Amino acid sequence: MEMDQLYTELILEHNQDKRNKHELSEFTNSEHGHNPSCGDDLTLQLNVVDGIIKDAAYTGSGCAISQASASMMIDIIKGKSVEEALRLVEIFLGMIKKEITDENELEELEDAMALQNISNMPARVKCAVLAWHTLKEALKK
């Protein structure tokens, strides 16, 4: 199986998997993100306790890339400190901008590495980064 096909399947899998797509009963941070160019829309909820992201979830609608990116991001940040989550945001955004290419560093993104080639599709970049920008804003509060 070629890597592109594997990555496509991973994106489809995360888009269809709803384990991270729901409202949290308890949350400390919430942020709404919207991409007016394509209509992707999400609300991210986080439960941050003592500087650790204990739980996270999102609701909203959008294309497979935006939904998969949000799901992948949540899988990665649960249990991480706020500082670590913000560092992962910067790694992800650096990957999309092709500023970070070191495989060892990118491996920290786990499944989100599947979105690396989105940078070759400029119209889809905003879809992939929406959840990550929303997370960054939510954690600033």
Side-chain angles (χ1 to χ4, degrees):
M1 180 181 293
E2 289 187 32
M3 288 305 275
D4 286 346
Q5 184 180 355
L6 179 67
Y7 286 164
T8 300
E9 287 181 15
L10 198 53
I11 291 167
L12 293 174
E13 177 185 316
H14 272 277
N15 178 50
Q16 294 167 353
D17 188 343
K18 304 302 180 204
R19 72 179 176 274
N20 294 322
K21 190 173 183 177
H22 57 86
E23 290 188 9
L24 293 180
S25 56
E26 282 186 48
F27 59 91
T28 56
N29 305 53
S30 179
E31 187 69 31
H32 178 253
H34 180 69
N35 178 359
S37 64
C38 69
D40 293 336
D41 191 89
L42 68 82
T43 299
L44 179 65
Q45 295 176 327
L46 306 168
N47 189 16
V48 180
V49 179
D50 296 328
I52 303 295
I53 301 169
K54 296 292 186 187
D55 203 1
Y58 76 100
T59 55
S61 60
C63 69
I65 291 170
S66 73
Q67 302 293 287
S69 185
S71 177
M72 292 171 179
M73 179 192 75
I74 288 170
D75 281 350
I76 298 166
I77 65 166
K78 281 185 188 177
K80 299 277 193 302
S81 69
V82 168
E83 294 77 22
E84 178 68 6
L86 288 169
R87 193 177 74 74
L88 291 168
V89 168
E90 294 310 315
I91 292 171
F92 182 84
L93 297 177
M95 174 186 76
I96 296 297
K97 294 177 192 172
K98 296 183 179 180
E99 295 171 352
I100 297 176
T101 57
D102 178 59
E103 289 296 319
N104 291 328
E105 196 170 3
L106 294 178
E107 282 179 7
E108 294 183 61
L109 296 175
E110 300 173 20
D111 285 356
M113 278 184 66
L115 298 167
Q116 187 171 12
N117 290 333
I118 295 297
S119 58
N120 298 326
M121 298 178 272
R124 305 313 301 244
V125 166
K126 289 182 180 179
C127 306
V129 300
L130 177 63
W132 298 82
H133 282 301
T134 305
L135 172 63
K136 192 173 181 177
E137 290 303 311
L139 291 175
K140 284 182 181 178
K141 294 182 175 181

